[in-house]
Amino acid sequence: MGRPEKAKMRKMTGQPHGLFPVGNQGGRLRSIQSALTAGYISSQFADFYCHDCQAQTLFRRCHLCDGTNVEERSKAPIEAGERVPLKRSIPIKDVFSSTLNKLKTKIYPDLIKGVRGTTNKRHIPEHLAKAILRAKHNIAVNKDGTTRYDCSEIAITHFKPEEIGTPLQTLKELGYTHDIHHQPLTSPTQTLELLPQDIIIPCCPHSPEEGADEILFRTSKFIDDELRYLYHLKPYYNLTSKKDLVGELILGLAPHTSAAILGRIIGFSKTQTFLAHPFFHAAMRRDADGDESCIFLLMDGFLNFSKLYLPESRGSSMDAPLVLTYLLNPSEVDDMVFNLDRAWRYPLELYKAARAFKKPWDVKIELIADTLNTPAQFEGIGFTHDTTNINAGVLCSAYKTLPSMQEKLDGQMNLARKIRAVDEADVARLVIEKHFIRDIRGNLRKFSQQEIRCVDCNEKFRRPPLKGACTVCGGKLVFTISEGSIIKYLEPALKLARDYDVPAYLKENMDIVRRMVEENFGKDAEKQEGLGTFFS
Ligand SMILES: [Zn+2]
Ligand SMILES: [Zn+2]
């Protein structure tokens, strides 16, 4: 099975709105509301001290007097080889009401979610106001303080105004005055060459997830509120509709890297992909062929990102915008893109050479590499085959809309049977070998080594406590890996092996897996049925 396209807001485990610790008092949902009921939060907090109030405070700006005469006393947390304990109990009701005063409001969202605890070295929390405002605008926070939109990458070099829904006048203001034939821009069907740092963001009407326009628009509203109430500054974006995002600057950042590249939104596609120039993808160190990357607003990076939020662990700087490339220099990007050809047509010579099984480099086709460090490197790239509209394809893979694994599988096998070039028995073999067997075996192994979890406080235990209840709060204990998660793929896999002529070795392998499962759970293992079974 392939990997379906992706375009959605990134949500960390628990989907927090802010990096504010709620401790065990946040309950199962890690919410501020639960902590308010408890009346306090016991967690690790950096030791900020306000000299004006002569009292401990939580933030760099005092939560009591809103002043900035604040010192971080815990800046050197290691003293005489021992860590000064930062764990303390804070009066969340007072902190919360002073934060609401700051936001000049008495009403607040029904559910504001924080994190169980901060993982950064100095235990610096994000300001509580940010969590409240993100909850108000219904956006999630990433571990570095920004709000990210993840999407699959596709390269694009040319577009038509009608494909991206941007008015001609706006495009002219952004620099798109002439089409590829050097004619002035007068019609939405003219083809324009994309500037290397311009991007088209995904807004797929068929996707179950919200489009990037929706998320970035709400993030802009969050940032404006934040500037106004938290920082006492003028709002920056002032957008009135999602269309106003055109012209705004974003950061593109690929996972496992820490260098962001500056981009500009010029329009919206109905696909679920991050459409950008091959140079732009290469600047993110990706080859753009179905890789995944993310976008976030530039002001979000400036205002909300902080290295101080990142955990101590090695590798935590990955995926954080530590460096910003604001001007794309083609000769500095990943060199894979240099081999991209930029010709307007392939000569007859190419086809003749192909028939004679010659090597690709035996025929001279103009490549990106040929124009590096010349004025031609930024423009004049050609293409050989035109498309009517970039939004004309399948906009959302059935893989994402079919609800159950069985239906996804039936869909795939149905297609495999119809396509003559596909060997359906081999597809069945691949699906069993690459997915089902591995999943079942892996989960079975994990089942015997699993941790036990408390339903009330989420405390995890390496082994079940003898008293049969949570030793922290007395709550009920449950498995973290259920029997259902192991046997859910067993039946589809066995059926697949029966229905298609898979190799004898694989059939025997499946038999062994089935026996292993039966030995663990008994022969008449309780079947996990989807709710749908009762309605069909
Ligand atoms: Zn103070
Ligand atoms: Zn518990």
Side-chain angles (χ1 to χ4, degrees), residues 24 453-461 469-477:
N24 285 336
R453 182 176 66 87
C454 166
V455 278
D456 291 329
C457 73
N458 243 340
E459 180 74 25
K460 296 212 170 99
F461 300 94
C470 174
T471 51
V472 179
C473 75
K476 193 177 162 235
L477 297 173

Side-chain angles (χ1 to χ4, degrees), residues 398 402 405-418:
L402 291 174
M405 181 49 73
Q406 189 64 54
E407 279 160 288
K408 291 183 212 286
L409 188 61
D410 290 346
Q412 179 171 11
M413 294 315 296
N414 203 3
L415 203 59
R417 278 198 304 274
K418 278 184 193 155

Side-chain angles (χ1 to χ4, degrees), residues 50-55 57 61-67 69-70:
C50 175
H51 289 289
D52 292 341
C53 300
Q54 302 205 337
T57 173
R61 191 186 270 264
C62 175
H63 76 276
L64 299 166
C65 68
D66 209 27
N69 194 6
V70 171

Side-chain angles (χ1 to χ4, degrees), residues 356-373:
F357 297 104
K358 288 196 174 161
K359 300 284 183 220
W361 49 87
D362 289 338
V363 182
K364 178 70 194 154
I365 307 276
E366 196 187 358
L367 299 177
I368 297 272
D370 301 332
T371 57
L372 281 183
N373 299 316

